[in-house]
Amino acid sequence: MNYNHLKAVLIIVLSSQISFGQNTFPTNGNVGIGTNSPSERLDVNGNMIVDSSLTVKDSLVVDKDLRTKGKLKIEDKAFFLEKVYMYDKLILSANAEVGNNIVILNNANIENNANITNNANIGNKLNVTGTSNLEGDVKMPNIPALNNLNAAGLQMVFKTQTGALKTMGVEDLINVITDNVDKEDYILCIPEYAADPYWMAGANRLYTLCEDVFVGIGVSNPMHKLHVLGTSYSRQFLAGSEDGDQDALYNGYTVNNTQYLMKLGKNIQTVDQSVKFSIDNNGAVVISNTGNTAALTINTGGQKAFEIKDENGDEILQLDNDGLLHSREIRVDALTWPDYVFSEDYELKPLNEIEEFIIAKGHLPNMPSEKEIIENGINVSEMQQLQMEKIEELTLYLIEMDKKVNVLESKVSNLEAENKLLKQK
């Protein structure tokens, strides 16, 4: 083998060994590129280019800046021990948990849920398309510059520290968020501020949510939620609650036990006031009615159309739906009574005339017929008087007949005595 041939073989062998050595490193010790004293298993002094992907199976520690020319995608959770500065956009496509502060100098787009347990400082816009739970404080010093806050009718509803809802306008909202207002101006109904309640205005309404606020009109010391001293007009009065969880109650109070507890009536323009329903101080109820309408209609919803009980709850009067009236006793007051039958100038009709009247009319004289009773009903007081009149007339007829019977019995007795004497002779 000549010299040139040996030289070529050595070059080939060395080349193959060098190529093999570039892909194999010792199992022990550190490897240095650009340094003779590597401090880690791989120590690169200078820039490193990875043409494909880089997989780190444990942790990745960057002593200085970490720069990416493309996107930084985090498939699971990202934990930041200190601050993270985003000079452009921060896009979170899944859940993001921030244990401390996050400072965003530009835009932040959160497409899903974000849980911030401490402070979030947003220098520009915050666009949230999902749900955000802010457990700490959020300060927005440049909120007056946000769009659409100059709308005149814009209002927002917030929950106060007591759990009550509060409506704010734009100016109030800006002052509260920028912490440029006294606490008592926006903390609603906290006990130490309840003496000076916060009034709110909405569409066609003026209201306050404080529970212990008494409003007085015409009176400086109101004793109830709404205390009006004077006349008030309302097209509709509602008592109780809309969902039916509270009783409806109307209380009428009087000063010297002489005024009426309640008066209901009408007063239309120039027409004089007319009271149709009233309850006096002793509880007496007066109903005044005109026309053909019923003055009072009561129905218990069952078999009883009307029922009255005493102070012990015992029933003393009941009217059934079929018209049957139940009562322990009924007293009818009458202005006259048919004792005139017993007067000397009373003309008692002979029985033969009464017989003729009954045959012709089918009922007693001075008594209504069956047809009249069916059509017009019976006046209990009047009928009682007519029946008593007939009873007293019957009594006179019986007295007269008794006298006649006594006379006849006397005559019969005399005739029997005379007949006995004649038989003895």
Side-chain angles (χ1 to χ4, degrees):
M1 180 180 298
N2 56 30
Y3 175 77
N4 292 331
H5 185 213
L6 180 60
K7 182 179 180 180
V9 172
L10 290 174
I11 292 174
I12 292 174
V13 173
L14 291 174
S15 298
S16 62
Q17 290 179 349
I18 293 173
S19 175
F20 181 78
Q22 288 177 344
N23 293 276
T24 302
F25 299 96
T27 58
N28 296 321
N30 299 331
V31 176
I33 300 177
T35 176
N36 294 326
S37 56
S39 61
E40 300 292 342
R41 294 297 301 274
L42 176 61
D43 191 349
V44 179
N45 186 6
N47 296 331
M48 182 176 64
I49 298 176
V50 180
D51 187 44
S52 184
S53 62
L54 175 63
T55 301
V56 180
K57 294 185 178 181
D58 195 352
S59 60
L60 174 64
V61 179
V62 181
D63 289 339
K64 292 187 178 180
D65 296 341
L66 173 63
R67 301 179 182 180
T68 61
K69 294 182 179 180
K71 295 181 179 179
L72 173 61
K73 296 183 178 179
I74 302 174
E75 296 181 356
D76 197 354
K77 296 181 179 179
F79 297 93
F80 304 100
L81 301 180
E82 289 191 4
K83 295 182 179 180
V84 177
Y85 293 90
M86 298 291 174
Y87 289 92
D88 196 358
K89 295 182 178 179
L90 170 63
I91 300 176
L92 306 177
S93 58
N95 296 334
E97 296 184 1
V98 182
N100 206 326
N101 297 332
I102 180 170
V103 179
I104 303 173
L105 300 181
N106 205 324
N107 298 332
N109 297 323
I110 302 175
E111 299 178 356
N112 205 322
N113 297 332
N115 297 321
I116 303 175
T117 58
N118 207 320
N119 298 331
N121 296 321
I122 301 174
N124 203 325
K125 293 182 179 179
L126 172 64
N127 298 322
V128 181
T129 58
T131 303
S132 297
N133 298 322
L134 306 178
E135 299 177 2
D137 297 330
V138 179
K139 298 295 182 180
M140 301 180 186
N142 62 338
I143 192 171
L146 296 181
N147 294 333
N148 297 326
L149 281 182
N150 57 353
L154 181 62
Q155 288 185 329
M156 303 180 189
V157 179
F158 291 87
K159 182 180 289 187
T160 65
Q161 297 179 7
T162 60
L165 299 180
K166 176 178 174 58
T167 303
M168 293 184 181
V170 176
E171 184 177 353
D172 295 332
L173 175 64
I174 293 174
N175 290 332
V176 169
I177 296 182
T178 57
D179 207 9
N180 189 26
V181 67
D182 293 334
K183 296 295 183 181
E184 59 266 23
D185 289 338
Y186 69 93
I187 297 179
L188 181 64
C189 295
I190 295 179
E192 56 264 30
Y193 301 113
D196 188 14
Y198 189 97
W199 286 90
M200 293 167 286
N204 300 322
R205 63 183 184 274
L206 175 66
Y207 62 97
T208 178
L209 296 177
C210 296
E211 296 183 357
D212 298 328
V213 175
F214 290 171
V215 178
I217 300 178
V219 56
S220 60
N221 54 341
M223 302 176 62
H224 301 280
K225 295 287 187 180
L226 178 60
H227 190 169
V228 180
L229 184 60
T231 303
S232 62
Y233 291 89
S234 177
R235 297 184 62 182
Q236 188 176 24
F237 175 78
L238 301 178
S241 60
E242 294 182 356
D243 51 4
D245 59 349
Q246 296 179 358
D247 295 333
L249 178 64
Y250 175 84
N251 291 336
Y253 298 99
T254 61
V255 179
N256 52 13
N257 297 328
T258 59
Q259 291 87 2
Y260 278 80
L261 297 179
M262 176 186 291
K263 278 188 176 183
L264 301 177
K266 61 182 180 180
N267 185 1
I268 305 174
Q269 295 179 355
T270 59
V271 180
D272 293 337
Q273 178 174 301
S274 176
V275 177
K276 298 300 181 183
F277 178 88
S278 63
I279 303 176
D280 66 12
N281 191 261
N282 295 321
V285 179
V286 178
I287 300 176
S288 301
N289 184 41
T290 57
N292 297 324
T293 59
L296 178 64
T297 302
I298 300 176
N299 195 312
T300 63
Q303 296 181 351
K304 303 175 183 179
F306 182 76
E307 183 181 21
I308 298 177
K309 297 182 179 180
D310 59 14
E311 66 275 6
N312 298 322
D314 297 328
E315 187 180 81
I316 59 177
L317 181 64
Q318 173 184 326
L319 176 63
D320 295 344
N321 286 332
D322 58 2
L324 179 61
L325 180 65
H326 304 265
S327 178
R328 301 183 193 143
E329 184 179 354
I330 296 178
R331 174 175 295 177
V332 179
D333 296 329
L335 299 177
T336 60
W337 194 246
D339 286 345
Y340 51 80
V341 175
F342 299 139
S343 62
E344 296 181 356
D345 57 351
Y346 183 75
E347 183 179 354
L348 187 64
K349 295 182 182 295
L351 288 176
N352 62 335
E353 293 184 7
I354 294 178
E355 181 183 11
E356 293 175 357
F357 186 90
I358 292 174
I359 295 174
K361 302 293 184 178
H363 59 86
L364 289 173
N366 201 26
M367 292 289 288
S369 65
E370 179 183 10
K371 181 180 179 181
E372 292 174 335
I373 292 176
I374 293 175
E375 292 180 354
N376 303 323
I378 297 176
N379 186 313
V380 176
S381 177
E382 180 182 355
M383 181 57 65
Q384 189 68 31
Q385 294 182 44
L386 292 175
Q387 290 177 348
M388 195 62 196
E389 179 185 273
K390 299 309 171 188
I391 291 173
E392 293 183 355
E393 288 179 350
L394 287 174
T395 302
L396 292 177
Y397 286 127
L398 290 174
I399 292 174
E400 183 178 351
M401 292 179 64
D402 183 66
K403 290 179 179 180
K404 291 180 179 180
V405 170
N406 290 332
V407 171
L408 292 174
E409 287 181 348
S410 178
K411 290 181 178 181
V412 170
S413 178
N414 292 333
L415 290 174
E416 289 178 348
E418 292 177 358
N419 187 28
K420 184 176 180 181
L421 291 174
L422 291 173
K423 287 182 178 183
Q424 291 177 354
K425 290 181 177 181

